[in-house]
Amino acid sequence: METVSENRAFGGVQGVYKHHSHSCHCDMTFGLFLPEEARDGPVPLLWYLSGLTCTHENAMVKAGAQQWAAEQGIAIVFPDTSPRGEGVADDEAYDLGQGAGFYVNATQKPWAPHFNMWDYIAEDLPSFLQEEFPIDMSRQSICGHSMGGHGALTLAMALPGRFRSVSAFAPIANPTAAEWGRKQLRAYLGDDEAAWAAHDSSVLMRDKGFDGPLLIDVGSDDQFIDLLRPEALAGAITERRQPATFRLQKGYDHSYFFVSTFMEDHVAFHAEALYAD
């Protein structure tokens, strides 16, 4: 592991680290905030998955999460959104390739050798964190924004028992039926649309649901709301009668101004689940 940086923040430490990923077959960078309590022993962990075009740095710098995590005594990890580096496939479009991993394991060329972000988040990075840092991996929750909200919801529903709670800011909620989704799922997974369903939170909500608390915030003035399709997820939650809090926040858009406004709510929401007996 390479320590890129470590900075004192709210009594804890905000670090940036680089390691070799066995699933993505390249070096990956992530941010990790450890609260002051981590000096005395393992602390609960909140995952924050970022959206299209982001790196580990966007939420780490813009979301204001460290203040609330420090108050609650929980760690937050900020993974990158895709593999990067020499020899890693990319595309000229902003919504495919590097910065747009979509939290799937690619099966198609040229993406398959490196674009295994599902395994990276589900297996590779958790194992590394457990080995290197004072984190209680029996107490994990997950949240994300936009493409990261898609990833958080699909991982939480597909890995029952892993996460105690899940939340999302403006998630890509129905990618099998939207431009943000169909393009990427076809590129990464191929033309068989049956393989896409495992990465659609609206489909998973109808089929599996989530055994735990769920919080979703979407801005009513989100400029991408037609691509996000939150109404599909809201409908699936209603059909399943899934306990959930789904909030349409008046006047807010898709930006980190929106995310940072409601970050305190989300961290407190997860802390309640993480510290529940």
Short mmCIF file of all heavy atoms in Angstrom, two decimals, residues 93-130:
data_model
loop_
_atom_site.label_atom_id
_atom_site.label_comp_id
_atom_site.label_asym_id
_atom_site.label_seq_id
_atom_site.Cartn_x
_atom_site.Cartn_y
_atom_site.Cartn_z
N ALA A 93 -16.32 9.33 -24.81
CA ALA A 93 -17.52 9.82 -24.14
C ALA A 93 -17.30 9.86 -22.63
O ALA A 93 -16.63 8.99 -22.06
CB ALA A 93 -18.71 8.93 -24.47
N TYR A 94 -17.92 10.84 -21.97
CA TYR A 94 -17.75 10.98 -20.52
C TYR A 94 -18.44 9.87 -19.75
O TYR A 94 -18.10 9.60 -18.60
CB TYR A 94 -18.33 12.33 -20.06
CG TYR A 94 -19.84 12.37 -19.99
CD1 TYR A 94 -20.51 12.10 -18.79
CD2 TYR A 94 -20.61 12.63 -21.12
CE1 TYR A 94 -21.90 12.10 -18.72
CE2 TYR A 94 -21.99 12.63 -21.06
CZ TYR A 94 -22.63 12.38 -19.86
OH TYR A 94 -24.00 12.37 -19.81
N ASP A 95 -19.42 9.21 -20.36
CA ASP A 95 -20.25 8.25 -19.63
C ASP A 95 -19.93 6.80 -19.95
O ASP A 95 -20.76 5.91 -19.75
CB ASP A 95 -21.74 8.53 -19.89
CG ASP A 95 -22.12 8.47 -21.36
OD1 ASP A 95 -21.22 8.34 -22.22
OD2 ASP A 95 -23.33 8.57 -21.66
N LEU A 96 -18.72 6.54 -20.43
CA LEU A 96 -18.28 5.17 -20.68
C LEU A 96 -16.77 5.11 -20.47
O LEU A 96 -16.06 6.06 -20.79
CB LEU A 96 -18.63 4.74 -22.11
CG LEU A 96 -18.40 3.26 -22.44
CD1 LEU A 96 -19.34 2.37 -21.65
CD2 LEU A 96 -18.58 3.02 -23.95
N GLY A 97 -16.29 4.01 -19.92
CA GLY A 97 -14.86 3.86 -19.71
C GLY A 97 -14.41 4.43 -18.39
O GLY A 97 -15.12 4.36 -17.39
N GLN A 98 -13.22 5.01 -18.37
CA GLN A 98 -12.64 5.50 -17.14
C GLN A 98 -13.50 6.62 -16.55
O GLN A 98 -13.86 7.57 -17.23
CB GLN A 98 -11.21 5.97 -17.37
CG GLN A 98 -10.28 4.84 -17.77
CD GLN A 98 -8.82 5.25 -17.89
OE1 GLN A 98 -8.37 6.13 -17.17
NE2 GLN A 98 -8.08 4.60 -18.79
N GLY A 99 -13.84 6.45 -15.27
CA GLY A 99 -14.77 7.36 -14.61
C GLY A 99 -16.20 6.92 -14.71
O GLY A 99 -17.09 7.58 -14.17
N ALA A 100 -16.45 5.80 -15.36
CA ALA A 100 -17.82 5.34 -15.59
C ALA A 100 -17.91 3.82 -15.49
O ALA A 100 -18.46 3.16 -16.37
CB ALA A 100 -18.33 5.80 -16.95
N GLY A 101 -17.40 3.26 -14.41
CA GLY A 101 -17.35 1.81 -14.27
C GLY A 101 -18.69 1.15 -14.01
O GLY A 101 -18.84 -0.06 -14.21
N PHE A 102 -19.67 1.89 -13.55
CA PHE A 102 -21.05 1.44 -13.35
C PHE A 102 -21.18 0.29 -12.35
O PHE A 102 -22.23 -0.34 -12.24
CB PHE A 102 -21.73 1.08 -14.67
CG PHE A 102 -22.74 2.12 -15.08
CD1 PHE A 102 -22.34 3.31 -15.64
CD2 PHE A 102 -24.10 1.91 -14.88
CE1 PHE A 102 -23.25 4.29 -16.00
CE2 PHE A 102 -25.03 2.88 -15.23
CZ PHE A 102 -24.61 4.07 -15.80
N TYR A 103 -20.11 -0.04 -11.64
CA TYR A 103 -20.17 -1.04 -10.56
C TYR A 103 -20.67 -2.40 -11.08
O TYR A 103 -21.49 -3.05 -10.45
CB TYR A 103 -20.99 -0.51 -9.39
CG TYR A 103 -20.44 0.81 -8.90
CD1 TYR A 103 -21.03 2.01 -9.26
CD2 TYR A 103 -19.28 0.85 -8.13
CE1 TYR A 103 -20.49 3.24 -8.85
CE2 TYR A 103 -18.73 2.06 -7.72
CZ TYR A 103 -19.35 3.24 -8.08
OH TYR A 103 -18.80 4.46 -7.68
N VAL A 104 -20.12 -2.81 -12.23
CA VAL A 104 -20.42 -4.12 -12.80
C VAL A 104 -19.09 -4.82 -13.10
O VAL A 104 -18.03 -4.19 -13.12
CB VAL A 104 -21.26 -4.03 -14.09
CG1 VAL A 104 -22.56 -3.29 -13.82
CG2 VAL A 104 -20.49 -3.35 -15.23
N ASN A 105 -19.16 -6.13 -13.34
CA ASN A 105 -18.02 -6.89 -13.86
C ASN A 105 -18.20 -7.03 -15.37
O ASN A 105 -19.08 -7.76 -15.83
CB ASN A 105 -17.94 -8.27 -13.22
CG ASN A 105 -17.51 -8.22 -11.79
OD1 ASN A 105 -16.88 -7.27 -11.34
ND2 ASN A 105 -17.84 -9.27 -11.04
N ALA A 106 -17.38 -6.35 -16.13
CA ALA A 106 -17.51 -6.38 -17.58
C ALA A 106 -17.15 -7.75 -18.13
O ALA A 106 -16.21 -8.40 -17.67
CB ALA A 106 -16.64 -5.31 -18.22
N THR A 107 -17.90 -8.17 -19.15
CA THR A 107 -17.64 -9.44 -19.83
C THR A 107 -17.22 -9.23 -21.28
O THR A 107 -16.84 -10.20 -21.95
CB THR A 107 -18.89 -10.33 -19.81
OG1 THR A 107 -19.97 -9.65 -20.47
CG2 THR A 107 -19.30 -10.65 -18.37
N GLN A 108 -17.27 -7.99 -21.76
CA GLN A 108 -17.04 -7.71 -23.17
C GLN A 108 -15.72 -6.98 -23.39
O GLN A 108 -15.23 -6.26 -22.51
CB GLN A 108 -18.19 -6.83 -23.72
CG GLN A 108 -19.57 -7.39 -23.50
CD GLN A 108 -19.79 -8.74 -24.16
OE1 GLN A 108 -19.64 -8.87 -25.38
NE2 GLN A 108 -20.14 -9.74 -23.38
N LYS A 109 -15.15 -7.18 -24.58
CA LYS A 109 -13.96 -6.44 -24.98
C LYS A 109 -14.34 -5.00 -25.29
O LYS A 109 -15.43 -4.75 -25.80
CB LYS A 109 -13.33 -7.09 -26.21
CG LYS A 109 -12.80 -8.49 -25.97
CD LYS A 109 -12.18 -9.06 -27.25
CE LYS A 109 -11.63 -10.47 -27.01
NZ LYS A 109 -11.04 -11.02 -28.25
N PRO A 110 -13.44 -4.04 -25.03
CA PRO A 110 -12.11 -4.15 -24.42
C PRO A 110 -12.13 -3.99 -22.90
O PRO A 110 -11.09 -3.80 -22.28
CB PRO A 110 -11.38 -2.97 -25.05
CG PRO A 110 -12.45 -1.91 -25.14
CD PRO A 110 -13.72 -2.66 -25.48
N TRP A 111 -13.31 -4.09 -22.30
CA TRP A 111 -13.49 -3.71 -20.90
C TRP A 111 -13.18 -4.83 -19.90
O TRP A 111 -12.78 -4.57 -18.76
CB TRP A 111 -14.93 -3.22 -20.67
CG TRP A 111 -15.38 -2.27 -21.72
CD1 TRP A 111 -16.27 -2.51 -22.74
CD2 TRP A 111 -14.93 -0.93 -21.92
NE1 TRP A 111 -16.40 -1.40 -23.54
CE2 TRP A 111 -15.59 -0.41 -23.05
CE3 TRP A 111 -14.03 -0.11 -21.23
CZ2 TRP A 111 -15.38 0.88 -23.51
CZ3 TRP A 111 -13.82 1.18 -21.69
CH2 TRP A 111 -14.49 1.66 -22.81
N ALA A 112 -13.37 -6.07 -20.32
CA ALA A 112 -13.32 -7.20 -19.38
C ALA A 112 -12.02 -7.32 -18.59
O ALA A 112 -12.06 -7.69 -17.41
CB ALA A 112 -13.61 -8.50 -20.13
N PRO A 113 -10.85 -7.03 -19.15
CA PRO A 113 -9.63 -7.25 -18.36
C PRO A 113 -9.54 -6.41 -17.08
O PRO A 113 -8.90 -6.85 -16.12
CB PRO A 113 -8.51 -6.88 -19.34
CG PRO A 113 -9.11 -7.11 -20.69
CD PRO A 113 -10.54 -6.70 -20.55
N HIS A 114 -10.14 -5.22 -17.07
CA HIS A 114 -9.96 -4.32 -15.94
C HIS A 114 -11.26 -3.87 -15.26
O HIS A 114 -11.24 -3.58 -14.06
CB HIS A 114 -9.19 -3.07 -16.38
CG HIS A 114 -7.83 -3.35 -16.90
ND1 HIS A 114 -6.76 -3.67 -16.08
CD2 HIS A 114 -7.34 -3.36 -18.17
CE1 HIS A 114 -5.68 -3.87 -16.81
NE2 HIS A 114 -5.99 -3.68 -18.08
N PHE A 115 -12.34 -3.81 -16.00
CA PHE A 115 -13.56 -3.20 -15.47
C PHE A 115 -14.38 -4.22 -14.67
O PHE A 115 -15.41 -4.72 -15.12
CB PHE A 115 -14.39 -2.58 -16.61
CG PHE A 115 -13.88 -1.23 -17.02
CD1 PHE A 115 -12.69 -1.10 -17.72
CD2 PHE A 115 -14.56 -0.07 -16.67
CE1 PHE A 115 -12.20 0.14 -18.08
CE2 PHE A 115 -14.08 1.18 -17.03
CZ PHE A 115 -12.89 1.30 -17.73
N ASN A 116 -13.88 -4.50 -13.48
CA ASN A 116 -14.54 -5.43 -12.56
C ASN A 116 -14.85 -4.73 -11.25
O ASN A 116 -14.46 -5.16 -10.17
CB ASN A 116 -13.64 -6.65 -12.33
CG ASN A 116 -13.40 -7.42 -13.62
OD1 ASN A 116 -14.33 -7.90 -14.25
ND2 ASN A 116 -12.14 -7.52 -14.00
N MET A 117 -15.60 -3.64 -11.36
CA MET A 117 -15.85 -2.80 -10.20
C MET A 117 -16.78 -3.46 -9.19
O MET A 117 -16.72 -3.15 -7.99
CB MET A 117 -16.42 -1.45 -10.64
CG MET A 117 -15.40 -0.54 -11.30
SD MET A 117 -13.97 -0.15 -10.24
CE MET A 117 -14.78 0.80 -8.94
N TRP A 118 -17.64 -4.37 -9.63
CA TRP A 118 -18.48 -5.10 -8.67
C TRP A 118 -17.59 -5.89 -7.71
O TRP A 118 -17.73 -5.78 -6.50
CB TRP A 118 -19.46 -6.02 -9.41
CG TRP A 118 -20.35 -6.79 -8.48
CD1 TRP A 118 -20.05 -7.94 -7.80
CD2 TRP A 118 -21.68 -6.43 -8.09
NE1 TRP A 118 -21.11 -8.33 -7.03
CE2 TRP A 118 -22.13 -7.43 -7.19
CE3 TRP A 118 -22.54 -5.38 -8.43
CZ2 TRP A 118 -23.39 -7.40 -6.61
CZ3 TRP A 118 -23.81 -5.36 -7.86
CH2 TRP A 118 -24.23 -6.35 -6.96
N ASP A 119 -16.68 -6.67 -8.26
CA ASP A 119 -15.80 -7.47 -7.41
C ASP A 119 -14.88 -6.58 -6.58
O ASP A 119 -14.54 -6.92 -5.44
CB ASP A 119 -14.95 -8.42 -8.26
CG ASP A 119 -15.72 -9.65 -8.71
OD1 ASP A 119 -16.86 -9.85 -8.24
OD2 ASP A 119 -15.18 -10.41 -9.54
N TYR A 120 -14.49 -5.45 -7.13
CA TYR A 120 -13.61 -4.55 -6.38
C TYR A 120 -14.31 -4.03 -5.13
O TYR A 120 -13.72 -4.02 -4.04
CB TYR A 120 -13.18 -3.38 -7.27
CG TYR A 120 -12.27 -2.40 -6.54
CD1 TYR A 120 -10.99 -2.78 -6.15
CD2 TYR A 120 -12.70 -1.12 -6.24
CE1 TYR A 120 -10.16 -1.91 -5.47
CE2 TYR A 120 -11.87 -0.23 -5.57
CZ TYR A 120 -10.61 -0.63 -5.19
OH TYR A 120 -9.79 0.25 -4.50
N ILE A 121 -15.57 -3.61 -5.26
CA ILE A 121 -16.31 -3.08 -4.12
C ILE A 121 -16.81 -4.20 -3.21
O ILE A 121 -16.82 -4.05 -1.99
CB ILE A 121 -17.51 -2.22 -4.59
CG1 ILE A 121 -17.01 -1.05 -5.45
CG2 ILE A 121 -18.32 -1.72 -3.41
CD1 ILE A 121 -16.11 -0.08 -4.73
N ALA A 122 -17.20 -5.32 -3.77
CA ALA A 122 -17.79 -6.39 -2.97
C ALA A 122 -16.75 -7.26 -2.28
O ALA A 122 -17.02 -7.80 -1.19
CB ALA A 122 -18.68 -7.28 -3.85
N GLU A 123 -15.57 -7.43 -2.87
CA GLU A 123 -14.61 -8.39 -2.33
C GLU A 123 -13.21 -7.82 -2.13
O GLU A 123 -12.62 -7.96 -1.07
CB GLU A 123 -14.53 -9.61 -3.28
CG GLU A 123 -15.86 -10.30 -3.52
CD GLU A 123 -16.46 -10.91 -2.26
OE1 GLU A 123 -15.71 -11.16 -1.30
OE2 GLU A 123 -17.68 -11.12 -2.23
N ASP A 124 -12.68 -7.19 -3.15
CA ASP A 124 -11.27 -6.80 -3.16
C ASP A 124 -10.97 -5.72 -2.13
O ASP A 124 -10.14 -5.90 -1.22
CB ASP A 124 -10.91 -6.32 -4.57
CG ASP A 124 -9.42 -6.24 -4.80
OD1 ASP A 124 -8.65 -6.44 -3.85
OD2 ASP A 124 -9.02 -5.97 -5.96
N LEU A 125 -11.63 -4.57 -2.25
CA LEU A 125 -11.36 -3.48 -1.33
C LEU A 125 -11.78 -3.80 0.11
O LEU A 125 -11.04 -3.45 1.05
CB LEU A 125 -12.03 -2.19 -1.82
CG LEU A 125 -11.70 -0.91 -1.03
CD1 LEU A 125 -10.21 -0.70 -0.89
CD2 LEU A 125 -12.36 0.30 -1.69
N PRO A 126 -12.92 -4.47 0.36
CA PRO A 126 -13.23 -4.83 1.76
C PRO A 126 -12.14 -5.68 2.40
O PRO A 126 -11.79 -5.47 3.57
CB PRO A 126 -14.54 -5.61 1.63
CG PRO A 126 -15.16 -5.13 0.38
CD PRO A 126 -14.02 -4.82 -0.54
N SER A 127 -11.62 -6.64 1.67
CA SER A 127 -10.56 -7.49 2.22
C SER A 127 -9.32 -6.67 2.55
O SER A 127 -8.70 -6.85 3.60
CB SER A 127 -10.21 -8.59 1.21
OG SER A 127 -9.14 -9.38 1.66
N PHE A 128 -8.98 -5.75 1.66
CA PHE A 128 -7.81 -4.90 1.89
C PHE A 128 -8.01 -4.00 3.10
O PHE A 128 -7.10 -3.85 3.93
CB PHE A 128 -7.55 -4.07 0.63
CG PHE A 128 -6.29 -3.26 0.70
CD1 PHE A 128 -5.06 -3.85 0.46
CD2 PHE A 128 -6.33 -1.91 0.98
CE1 PHE A 128 -3.89 -3.10 0.53
CE2 PHE A 128 -5.18 -1.16 1.06
CZ PHE A 128 -3.95 -1.76 0.82
N LEU A 129 -9.20 -3.40 3.21
CA LEU A 129 -9.48 -2.52 4.35
C LEU A 129 -9.39 -3.27 5.67
O LEU A 129 -8.86 -2.75 6.66
CB LEU A 129 -10.86 -1.89 4.19
CG LEU A 129 -11.05 -0.89 3.06
CD1 LEU A 129 -12.52 -0.50 2.94
CD2 LEU A 129 -10.18 0.35 3.25
N GLN A 130 -9.93 -4.48 5.68
CA GLN A 130 -9.90 -5.27 6.91
C GLN A 130 -8.48 -5.60 7.33
O GLN A 130 -8.17 -5.63 8.54
CB GLN A 130 -10.71 -6.55 6.71
CG GLN A 130 -10.90 -7.35 7.99
CD GLN A 130 -11.91 -8.47 7.81
OE1 GLN A 130 -12.06 -9.02 6.72
NE2 GLN A 130 -12.62 -8.80 8.87
#
